[in-house]
C-alpha cells in the first residue's frame, strides 16, 4: 500500500482511457509512475470492478477495477527501493510505500492498529478482501484485528475530542489570541 499525498492510505492506480490502452497496460503505466517499476499485470490478477462514488465535479460515472498481485519478499524489496528512488510521482501523489503488518501485538498493535488508519474510498475493504483471498491471515485473526481496530479508533476519537476541547479552552480563555509559541514547552 502507499501513503497518498492527502494523508490517506490507498493502492496505486489512476485513470485509464480504454480507447487508448487496456486496463492492465494502464495499471502497469500507473505502477511505473507511482512505484518506479512497471510490473506485469494480467487479466488473471483482476479481482473486482465497481462504480466509484459519484462526484459533483464530474457528470461521468467512473468504474474502479481492483487487481491483486502476489509477490515474493525480494520483489517487494525491489519495488520499495524503486518507489523511493525512481518513481516520478514519489513525493507528489505518493509519499511512500507502506507495508501491512500481518501480525498482532498485545494491546492491539500490528494489523489492528494499521486497519484503524484512514483509507481512501474502499481501500480498507479491498485490503481485507485481499488478505483473506490470498490466505495471508485467517478469518479468525482478521476478525480479532478488526475488533481491536474498532477499539483503537474509538480511543483515537476520544483523544481528538479532548484535544479539540483543550484547544478551545486555550483560545477562548480571557478572549486572548491563541499564540502557539506561548503554549509550546520547547519554546524558550
Amino acid at each position: 500500500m502507499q501513503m497518498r499525498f492527502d494523508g490517506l492510505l490507498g493502492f496505486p492506480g489512476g485513470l485509464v482511457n480504454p480507447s487508448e490502452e487496456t486496463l492492465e497496460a494502464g495499471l502497469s503505466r500507473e505502477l511505473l509512475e507511482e512505484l518506479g517499476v512497471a510490473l506485469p499485470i494480467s487479466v488473471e490478477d483482476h479481482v473486482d470492478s465497481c462504480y466509484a462514488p459519484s462526484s459533483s465535479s464530474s457528470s461521468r460515472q467512473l468504474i474502479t477495477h481492483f487487481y491483486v498481485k502476489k509477490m515474493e519478499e525480494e520483489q517487494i524489496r525491489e519495488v520499495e527501493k524503486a518507489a523511493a528512488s525512481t518513481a516520478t510521482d514519489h513525493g507528489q501523489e505518493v509519499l511512500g510505500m507502506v507495508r501491512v503488518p500481518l501480525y498482532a501485538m498485545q494491546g492491539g498493535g500490528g494489523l489492528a492498529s494499521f486497519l484503524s488508519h484512514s483509507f481512501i474510498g474502499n481501500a480498507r475493504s479491498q485490503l481485507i478482501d485481499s488478505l483473506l483471498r490470498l490466505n495471508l491471515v485467517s478469518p479468525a485473526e482478521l476478525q480479532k484485528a478488526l475488533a481491536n481496530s474498532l477499539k483503537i479508533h474509538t480511543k483515537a476519537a476520544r483523544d481528538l475530542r479532548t484535544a479539540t476541547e483543550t484547544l478551545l479552552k486555550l483560545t477562548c480563555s480571557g478572549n486572548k489570541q491563541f499564540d502557539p509559541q506561548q503554549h509550546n514547552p520547547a519554546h524558550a
Side-chain angles (χ1 to χ4, degrees):
M1 296 197 78
Q2 59 191 18
M3 177 62 71
R4 296 163 31 94
F5 69 95
D6 54 8
L8 300 174
L9 293 170
F11 292 100
L15 296 175
V16 174
N17 184 341
S19 66
E20 296 176 9
E21 60 189 344
T22 66
L23 292 173
E24 293 76 24
L27 178 54
S28 191
R29 173 183 48 76
E30 287 289 337
L31 292 173
L32 179 60
E33 292 171 8
E34 295 182 23
L35 303 180
V37 174
L39 296 169
I41 303 297
S42 70
V43 175
E44 289 78 28
D45 298 322
H46 184 262
V47 172
D48 189 32
S49 296
C50 65
Y51 285 104
S54 297
S55 170
S56 59
S57 63
S58 174
S59 60
R60 296 184 330 174
Q61 182 71 43
L62 294 177
I63 301 173
T64 62
H65 303 276
F66 188 64
Y67 289 74
V68 173
K69 185 155 192 82
K70 193 167 184 177
M71 300 170 64
E72 298 298 323
E73 179 74 21
E74 187 55 39
Q75 292 172 301
I76 293 170
R77 281 195 200 111
E78 289 175 25
V79 169
E80 289 172 333
K81 285 179 192 172
S85 61
T86 62
T88 58
D89 288 348
H90 184 77
Q92 298 169 32
E93 283 185 40
V94 180
L95 301 181
M97 298 292 302
V98 180
R99 284 197 186 197
V100 179
L102 300 178
Y103 53 84
M105 296 176 64
Q106 263 187 328
L111 182 58
S113 183
F114 188 85
L115 291 172
S116 72
H117 292 295
S118 297
F119 290 74
I120 185 73
N122 61 348
R124 182 184 290 116
S125 297
Q126 291 170 326
L127 171 62
I128 290 168
D129 179 65
S130 298
L131 292 174
L132 291 172
R133 180 182 301 273
L134 297 173
N135 296 313
L136 295 174
V137 295
S138 71
E141 291 170 321
L142 188 54
Q143 182 61 40
K144 185 175 180 180
L146 287 167
N148 283 332
S149 178
L150 186 57
K151 290 177 187 173
I152 292 167
H153 190 73
T154 302
K155 183 186 179 314
R158 278 194 311 267
D159 291 348
L160 286 170
R161 277 193 293 279
T162 301
T164 301
E165 291 166 1
T166 301
L167 181 60
L168 284 172
K169 287 177 187 174
L170 289 172
T171 58
C172 295
S173 61
N175 280 334
K176 294 179 184 173
Q177 186 70 16
F178 178 68
D179 179 5
Q181 299 293 332
Q182 182 180 359
H183 297 286
N184 184 351
H187 182 71

